[in-house]
Amino acid sequence: MEEKGPSIELNGDEVSPRSSTSLPQWEKPEVSVPSPIKEQFITALWILLNTVATLGLIFCSKRVFNDEQLHSCQLLVVMWHFTATATVLYLATRSPFRAFNAIRLSPWDLAPVCAFFAAYVILGNLSLAYNSIGFYQLAKVMTTPCVVLLNFMLFRKTITRYMLIAIFAICIGVALTVRSSAETQLFGIVIAVMAFTATALYQIWIGKKIEDFNVSPQQLLLNQAPLSVLLLVPFVPLFDAMPDIHAVPTSVLWSLFASGIMASLFNLSQFLIIGRTSALTFNVVGHLKTILILSFGWYSEGTVLSQKEICGIILALGGGWVYSHLSLSRK
């Protein structure tokens, strides 16, 4: 009679080692291995770089557009940002960085994407030029409800009841902060609405094109940034007044140069954060950056907030944070 081998008890059931194809618990490989300290440190550096680049880009651009001559050079400033971004991304594909592989896409396929890209950047710069930093940043929070509305109108995509409540909180919060800006700068309010609508359209379109082209965001950006510069060239004589560089203060020119570097570092670090961590991490970083930008903006402008405006900020940021977590948990 054949002697039975030893049996192993797992969760109350006896399993023979010879009859089971699964490995014993102590022999199973670990599913998730913690990131080494070095990798965590590098990720933290990219997050820090992204935060610094965001703050630097906003404050440098605000200083540039406060200059009388450069205030009328919106397209030229955008073209400089596109050129700097394309240059940094191209260098990132070369040795020793090799952050991603460069590919070439058809300019005809990219033309609509470039049009949306240019529109949202130009309108964003105009919003920054005609609004305070605080209101500019809060208006950007309205991009989320705008994406939801456009997705429903274009693709009949719906959201849950709790996500809708979060959207209403964002809208009410931003509305409470509009009061002081609406009294002095109606044109700035209109530009801000156009800016976050164009941003929402760009985000929807870019997501679709990344899927259609089967490329990474940075590969698409490397192709569309230089093409966007060429797309804007014919419009410069119509909308921009050529500045007298010698009359522009040296400090403002340095701010202009720094804004292009910050724009490129922001784009590159944004892609690397998502690639190294997750969308949840990037959303948390985004909301922390919003709070920092609002704080620095109002502090630099000497703004004293009313209780209604403070409630509006809490509602807008809280609604955006809740919506981000609810949308991620649906995936």
Side-chain angles (χ1 to χ4, degrees):
M1 187 164 75
E2 183 178 337
E3 186 180 351
K4 273 189 173 181
S7 61
I8 302 169
E9 187 172 331
L10 295 175
N11 299 326
D13 299 327
E14 287 191 357
V15 181
S16 172
R18 294 179 183 175
S19 61
S20 175
T21 56
S22 61
L23 291 172
Q25 187 68 29
W26 58 83
E27 294 182 14
K28 287 186 178 179
E30 292 291 333
V31 176
S32 60
V33 180
S35 299
I37 296 177
K38 181 180 177 182
E39 289 297 310
Q40 295 177 1
F41 178 71
I42 293 173
T43 300
L45 285 179
W46 282 119
I47 291 174
L48 177 63
L49 176 62
N50 183 265
T51 304
V52 172
T54 304
L55 290 167
L57 176 60
I58 290 176
F59 286 97
C60 285
S61 297
K62 187 66 178 177
R63 188 174 185 184
V64 167
F65 293 132
N66 280 340
D67 182 81
E68 261 185 58
Q69 292 197 78
L70 296 181
H71 188 83
S72 304
C73 300
Q74 299 285 335
L75 294 185
L76 288 172
V77 172
V78 170
M79 289 168 66
W80 158 236
H81 288 175
F82 287 166
T83 303
T85 298
T87 303
V88 170
L89 286 173
Y90 175 74
L91 292 175
T93 65
R94 314 305 294 176
S95 180
F97 305 106
R98 297 289 184 186
F100 62 96
N101 294 323
I103 61 171
R104 181 173 295 180
L105 298 174
S106 168
W108 297 109
D109 292 334
L110 283 174
V113 184
C114 293
F116 278 112
F117 187 42
Y120 107 84
V121 175
I122 291 169
L123 289 170
N125 282 344
L126 281 171
S127 177
L128 185 58
Y130 287 98
N131 292 305
S132 66
I133 292 175
F135 179 73
Y136 159 81
Q137 190 64 25
L138 273 177
K140 285 178 66 177
V141 179
M142 286 296 292
T143 302
T144 299
C146 191
V147 167
V148 173
L149 179 61
L150 289 172
N151 268 326
F152 177 75
M153 293 173 63
L154 298 174
F155 309 110
R156 295 299 172 189
K157 289 184 179 180
T158 57
I159 59 174
T160 66
R161 182 187 309 170
Y162 296 108
M163 293 170 79
L164 191 61
I165 292 172
I167 293 295
F168 276 125
I170 295 171
C171 296
I172 293 171
V174 174
L176 289 175
T177 64
V178 167
R179 181 181 58 83
S180 58
S181 298
E183 290 173 358
T184 58
Q185 200 65 259
L186 179 60
F187 180 71
I189 303 291
V190 174
I191 291 296
V193 172
M194 293 174 65
F196 68 68
T197 303
T199 303
L201 283 168
Y202 174 70
Q203 288 181 359
I204 293 170
W205 189 265
I206 208 70
K208 185 177 184 303
K209 287 303 176 183
I210 287 174
E211 186 178 341
D212 291 346
F213 296 152
N214 193 25
V215 295
S216 66
Q218 56 266 45
Q219 287 173 328
L220 186 61
L221 183 60
L222 178 58
N223 279 268
Q224 73 185 53
L227 188 59
S228 298
V229 175
L230 296 176
L231 189 69
L232 292 176
V233 169
F235 298 97
V236 171
L238 300 175
F239 297 100
D240 279 12
M242 296 303 293
D244 179 8
I245 298 297
H246 299 289
V248 178
T250 305
S251 60
V252 175
L253 291 177
W254 277 112
S255 295
L256 177 63
F257 176 78
S259 70
I261 302 303
M262 292 297 173
S264 58
L265 292 177
F266 166 78
N267 288 319
L268 182 60
S269 59
Q270 173 178 271
F271 297 136
L272 289 171
I273 290 169
I274 295 173
R276 296 179 68 89
T277 57
S278 65
L280 176 59
T281 301
F282 188 73
N283 271 269
V284 172
V285 172
H287 290 300
L288 290 175
K289 286 193 301 184
T290 300
I291 294 170
L292 280 174
I293 292 166
L294 289 173
S295 302
F296 278 115
W298 279 316
Y299 175 78
S300 64
E301 293 160 2
T303 303
V304 178
L305 301 177
S306 65
Q307 290 184 350
K308 185 184 290 186
E309 288 168 329
I310 292 172
C311 289
I313 294 165
I314 294 171
L315 274 174
L317 296 180
W321 185 82
V322 170
Y323 179 83
S324 298
H325 280 268
L326 290 175
S327 61
L328 288 167
S329 63
R330 280 183 90 189
K331 296 179 181 179

